Amino acid sequence: MNGWQRAFVLHSRPYSETSLLLDMFTEGEGRVCILAKGARRNRSPLRGCLQPFTPLLIRWGGKGAVKTLTSADAVSLALPLSGTVLYSGLYVNELVSRILEQGTAYSSLFFDYLECLQTLAASEYTPEHALRRFELSLLSHIGYGVDFLHCAGSGEPVSDTMTYRYREEKGFIGSLIIDNFSFTGKQLKDLSQREFSDIDSLKAAKRFTRMALKPYLGGKPLKSRELFRQFTRPVSQININKPDERLV
């Protein structure tokens, strides 16, 4: 049996008539698959706390791939995510669940994840900055190495006004071609610092993280992205008789 660890529920699904199977992100052991026996019973003390975005202290036991939850306490109320920000939180959870392998510690990333959720909960404006910072942090922690500050061809520092084209597994190379793979030196500097000084740099960050994350996500679409599209689609465009099968 392990000691107490800070944790969040990434995803849960019913298991048998009374239990839950949880995909959890823990401070000390990364992603862990945990069975919460009896958590769906009406009188279970676990029923209310095993929810996404609720900071938890948990203990578990077992030696197999699926552990058994022995204790769980909510450290505080769930972080208040609603509307667009809720879908942003679901997106972050899905990234962690799909990209991180189980049983590998990502302690620093855990706190970046916590900071991202706290920023989303406190934000009155666009969640874009928090999402781009977390995506870049995630890429860094899984070993995705790219030098934003030097031209991969010459080794020279990037210039604000020059254009550089991204080449997978090589980096950014000076180019006159302007397309979806092209970035200015100023945009690359913002990516390196994870600070986005204007809308242009923020859009460039989104382009880059989508390209960089794609090999890790494979061809399966993100459910959170599809849910967000449903959420933002005008009512007149929704066909209630034709559900989107990708959400299932």
Side-chain angles (χ1 to χ4, degrees):
M1 183 179 295
N2 74 316
W4 290 96
Q5 286 200 37
R6 284 178 276 201
F8 282 89
V9 173
L10 297 173
H11 177 72
S12 69
R13 62 182 175 88
Y15 185 88
S16 73
E17 293 184 0
T18 61
S19 301
L20 285 173
L21 194 60
L22 307 169
D23 185 11
M24 304 198 74
F25 189 25
T26 69
E27 178 184 356
E29 297 190 31
R31 279 185 58 227
V32 183
C33 183
I34 297 179
L35 177 63
K37 293 182 178 180
R40 296 172 62 206
R41 291 195 181 103
N42 290 333
R43 297 185 179 181
S44 171
L46 299 174
R47 189 176 177 87
C49 70
L50 297 178
Q51 303 293 330
F53 317 125
T54 300
L56 300 168
L57 281 175
I58 67 170
R59 297 178 71 183
W60 68 84
K63 296 182 179 180
V66 179
K67 313 301 181 184
T68 301
L69 187 70
T70 57
S71 302
D73 291 322
V75 177
S76 67
L77 296 175
L79 294 166
L81 305 184
S82 61
T84 301
V85 174
L86 171 61
Y87 291 94
S88 298
L90 294 174
Y91 168 72
V92 170
N93 278 3
E94 192 170 10
L95 284 184
V96 173
S97 184
R98 286 187 48 178
I99 292 177
L100 298 188
E101 61 184 11
Q102 289 196 16
T104 300
Y106 293 95
S107 298
S108 296
L109 181 62
F110 180 86
F111 288 101
D112 289 339
Y113 169 85
L114 174 58
E115 181 180 2
C116 179
L117 293 187
Q118 290 174 330
T119 302
L120 290 175
S123 177
E124 298 179 3
Y125 304 101
T126 174
E128 291 276 335
H129 289 76
L131 293 180
R132 301 295 83 84
R133 290 189 189 108
F134 181 76
E135 288 167 340
L136 290 167
S137 175
L138 176 60
L139 285 164
S140 175
H141 280 91
I142 61 177
Y144 186 93
V146 62
D147 186 351
F148 294 108
L149 298 180
H150 296 86
C151 175
S154 66
E156 294 292 322
V158 297
S159 170
D160 285 5
T161 56
M162 286 277 293
T163 300
Y164 302 85
R165 198 162 188 268
Y166 175 68
R167 294 187 182 179
E168 191 174 346
E169 298 183 356
K170 290 185 178 180
F172 296 91
I173 297 175
S175 174
L176 297 177
I177 300 173
I178 306 296
D179 60 13
N180 195 52
F181 294 88
S182 302
F183 301 82
T184 66
K186 178 182 180 299
Q187 291 168 346
L188 295 182
K189 290 178 181 179
D190 283 351
L191 278 165
S192 176
Q193 297 171 3
R194 301 179 192 173
E195 294 292 340
F196 313 108
S197 55
D198 51 38
I199 294 297
D200 188 51
S201 287
L202 196 57
K203 289 181 177 179
K206 186 173 184 176
R207 277 195 295 121
F208 172 75
T209 56
R210 284 206 171 186
M211 286 188 290
L213 288 168
K214 187 175 181 179
Y216 298 97
L217 294 170
K220 185 179 177 181
L222 288 162
K223 291 183 179 180
S224 53
R225 191 171 289 162
E226 295 299 326
L227 284 169
F228 178 71
R229 288 171 182 161
Q230 291 285 327
F231 174 73
T232 56
R233 183 187 301 176
V235 174
S236 60
Q237 296 180 10
I238 297 176
N239 184 348
I240 62 174
N241 296 315
K242 188 178 180 182
D244 188 338
E245 294 180 354
R246 291 175 294 178
L247 299 181
V248 178

